[in-house]
């Protein structure tokens, strides 16, 4: 059975989709990823879709479901590498990616996950940063 590899990097899981996603593979990824979050106690999931040229409404919904399920399991999700054509298609189809944070590339996505992990593990520092940011405005 075809599976998408899920790599553990510290507190995060990294998923790089390098093949065309079909419905069955997307469902398998959803199951595999939620199981790995539980097994590894991961606090973040980064999904790289830069190799995907087409994302239909079903795959978009699966990505949104993964983000919601991850959140319930105490992990943030960031999707990176979305092609402009994919973004346009998702908007035109009216697919809502509620709960999914996005970044242009893996580096920026990891930074988002790290900052969100720092905010949850150190809420005092996060509050101070937020106050400092507001003071600058």
């Amino acid at each position: 059975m075809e599976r998408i590899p899920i790599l553990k990097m510290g507190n995060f899981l990294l998923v790089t989709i390098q093949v065309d996603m079909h419905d069955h593979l997307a469902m398998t990824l959803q199951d595999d990823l939620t199981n790995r979050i539980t097994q590894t106690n991961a606090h973040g999931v980064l999904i790289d879709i830069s190799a995907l040229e087409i994302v239909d409404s079903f795959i978009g919904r699966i990505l949104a479901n993964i983000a919601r399920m991850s959140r319930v399991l105490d992990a943030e999700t960031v999707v990176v590498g979305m092609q402009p054509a994919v973004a346009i298609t998702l908007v035109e189809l009216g697919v809502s990616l509620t709960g999914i944070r996005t970044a242009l590339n893996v580096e920026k996505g990891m930074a988002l996950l790290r900052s969100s992990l720092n905010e949850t593990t150190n809420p005092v520092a996060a509050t101070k940063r937020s106050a400092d940011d507001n003071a600058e405005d």
Side-chain angles (χ1 to χ4, degrees):
M1 179 190 313
E2 188 178 24
R3 287 194 136 67
I4 295 173
I6 301 169
L7 306 173
K8 185 171 186 330
M9 294 180 58
N11 290 327
F12 307 131
L13 297 177
L14 175 62
V15 178
T16 302
I17 302 171
Q18 297 292 320
V19 296
D20 287 333
M21 287 281 281
H22 51 79
D23 295 356
H24 182 70
L25 184 58
M27 296 293 294
T28 301
L29 174 61
Q30 178 178 280
D31 294 341
D32 290 349
L33 194 50
T34 52
N35 286 328
R36 282 296 299 272
I37 291 168
T38 304
Q39 292 167 355
T40 63
N41 197 29
H43 292 288
V45 175
L46 187 133
I47 303 173
D48 180 4
I49 64 169
S50 57
L52 293 182
E53 294 180 14
I54 298 171
V55 174
D56 62 16
S57 61
F58 180 76
I59 302 300
R61 280 195 310 274
I62 291 294
L63 289 172
N65 287 346
I66 287 171
R68 285 192 293 273
M69 291 174 192
S70 298
R71 187 70 227 128
V72 169
L73 296 171
D74 196 28
E76 296 290 327
T77 301
V78 176
V79 173
V80 301
M82 187 177 300
Q83 301 288 335
V86 169
I88 290 166
T89 301
L90 290 174
V91 169
E92 287 176 349
L93 292 172
V95 176
S96 172
L97 297 179
T98 306
I100 295 182
R101 297 173 75 185
T102 59
L104 290 177
N105 57 44
V106 172
E107 184 178 341
K108 290 181 181 193
M110 290 300 278
L112 268 176
L113 287 175
R114 284 188 198 104
S115 72
S116 107
L117 181 62
N118 286 339
E119 290 170 9
T120 58
T121 58
N122 193 352
V124 173
T127 302
K128 182 179 180 337
R129 269 195 310 275
S130 178
D132 291 345
D133 291 345
N134 289 336
E136 291 174 9
D137 292 341

